[in-house]
Amino acid sequence: MVRTETVLDSWKTVRQDTAQAVEDFPSTELDFKATPDLMTFGELARHVLDAGHALSGMLLDGVDNMAELKVREMIGKYRPQLPEKLDAATLASELRKSIETQTAALSAKGEDFFSGIITRFDGQRVTRLEMLQSLKEHELTHRSQMFMYLRLKGIVPATTRRRQAKQKGA
């Protein structure tokens, strides 16, 4: 059985590394993108912030059928009320602040809440905990893109730096 606390703690760790990637990336180059058809680094970070805040907000509000929603409108309703363009320091700070507030609110919900069945955007029926896991996986996907952008700039992501430091200390 997967425990809610484990999923929330794991998401917090993922988010901390996402925020660290924003701090590590050259702040004057948030408009960088690997190819013309991809999101910029800044857009990826903002998307993580908006989607994480919005989807967890929908869960907290008891939205149980996301397939019937107009996704863009709902994300707009739930996303943090911030200027569209944010500097790197503000973006990293908001990523950290959002994960703390959202996971604290989610932690206050009982196990019955997380075992409740909802319908995802794709029509799939899942528990709220499974939806939360999907949200974390969504962030991991975009964090991986951000890590690739870091690598393209010659910057080693925080996760690799930690592993390397651990290996040196072993």
Side-chain angles (χ1 to χ4, degrees), residues 49-73:
L49 174 64
D50 291 346
H53 198 84
L55 293 173
S56 60
M58 285 183 239
L59 284 174
L60 287 163
D61 276 356
V63 173
D64 62 2
N65 189 347
M66 296 178 182
E68 294 179 354
L69 304 176
K70 293 185 176 162
V71 178
R72 299 255 182 247
E73 289 173 18

Side-chain angles (χ1 to χ4, degrees), residues 4-20:
T4 303
E5 179 182 319
T6 302
V7 174
L8 290 171
D9 287 347
S10 176
W11 186 25
K12 285 167 109 175
T13 299
V14 169
R15 177 59 61 87
Q16 293 306 325
D17 290 334
T18 300
Q20 186 63 54

